[in-house]
Each structure stands twice: as C-alpha cells, then as structure tokens.
Amino acid sequence: MVELSHTEALRLLGTVQLGRVAFSEQALPAIRPVNHLVEGGDLIVRTHGGAALLGRALLSEVVAYEADEIDATTRTGWSVVVTGTATRVEDPDALARYHRLLMPWLDAESGQVIRIRPVIVTGYRVVGAELD
C-alpha cells in the first residue's frame, strides 16, 4: 500500500459517486451508503428528511466518510477516508445547485444536503500484489 497525499486522496474521491458515511446513532456506530460530490475540498451528500445523519448534522457532529475503488482480480485500487464535521446546507441557492448536480441513487425523497468539511484526509493506493 502506498500512502496518498491529501490532494490526491480528494481527487480520487471525486472520481466516484458512492461511498459510506459513518456516524454515531444512539451512542453506537452507524454506517450508511450515500452518493457524493467533492467541491472546494468539501464532500457534499444528499439525504432524505428522516435520515439519522441529518439529525446529527444539525449538531455539527464529527463523521467519517469512506470511498474506494478496488479491483479484486488485479489486487489494485485505492481507498480514502475523510474525517470531519457534518453540517446541514441551508442556503437556497446552494441547495438548488446541489439538487441539480447530485442525483440521489435511491428513489427516496432526498431533498436534504449535508456538507462534510474534512479535518483529516487519509488515503492509500493498493498496488499489484503477487498472486499465490
């Protein structure tokens, strides 16, 4: 495994649309798949109004976000984890723009938008390994 720079990790994160957000729900870890986009170094995700993550974002809670692209056949790929504060996007112009740019991958009503401001960004590239 080769460690990625902050810049390269965010660049790779921007090449995929799906990841997993980890947060605390009733004092226990919870992980949900969500789609995202990277903008200005921040992660933007859409969620539905009843999502547990939305309630945590109102409190500016620290969350983790992970996405990867791994090829099991060649044993190559990358993985990036972002840890930062989640907040709800409330500006009407920003909401309208994110609704156009970030299409939900589930049929659920996903009108709420969360911004994750990275504090820690780690990433690794998995280079080809010898096959047994």
Side-chain angles (χ1 to χ4, degrees):
M1 292 177 64
V2 177
E3 190 169 359
L4 300 171
S5 70
H6 177 99
T7 302
E8 179 68 358
L10 286 180
R11 186 193 70 74
L12 286 170
L13 196 57
T15 67
V16 296
Q17 297 178 8
L18 183 64
R20 291 152 295 282
V21 63
F23 57 98
S24 183
E25 182 177 16
Q26 297 181 4
L28 297 172
I31 300 172
R32 302 286 188 273
V34 294
N35 59 333
H36 70 270
L37 62 85
V38 178
E39 180 180 79
D42 292 344
L43 275 81
I44 309 297
V45 300
R46 281 181 67 176
T47 189
H48 60 88
L53 172 61
L54 184 61
R56 306 315 306 164
L58 295 175
L59 302 174
S60 296
E61 181 166 302
V62 173
V63 300
Y65 192 86
E66 190 272 342
D68 53 49
E69 190 170 86
I70 304 292
D71 184 321
T73 303
T74 63
R75 297 183 181 189
T76 60
W78 56 267
S79 177
V80 171
V81 175
V82 169
T83 304
T85 305
T87 57
R88 187 179 193 166
V89 174
E90 296 183 1
D91 176 69
D93 293 334
L95 283 172
R97 194 160 112 7
Y98 294 139
H99 286 174
R100 286 190 311 274
L101 294 174
L102 188 58
M103 301 308 295
W105 61 282
L106 294 175
D107 290 335
E109 194 286 11
S110 296
Q112 306 299 317
V113 178
I114 305 295
R115 175 185 309 277
I116 301 172
R117 290 233 156 97
V119 174
I120 301 168
V121 178
T122 58
Y124 295 91
R125 185 177 300 280
V126 180
V127 295
E130 293 294 323
L131 300 176
D132 297 334

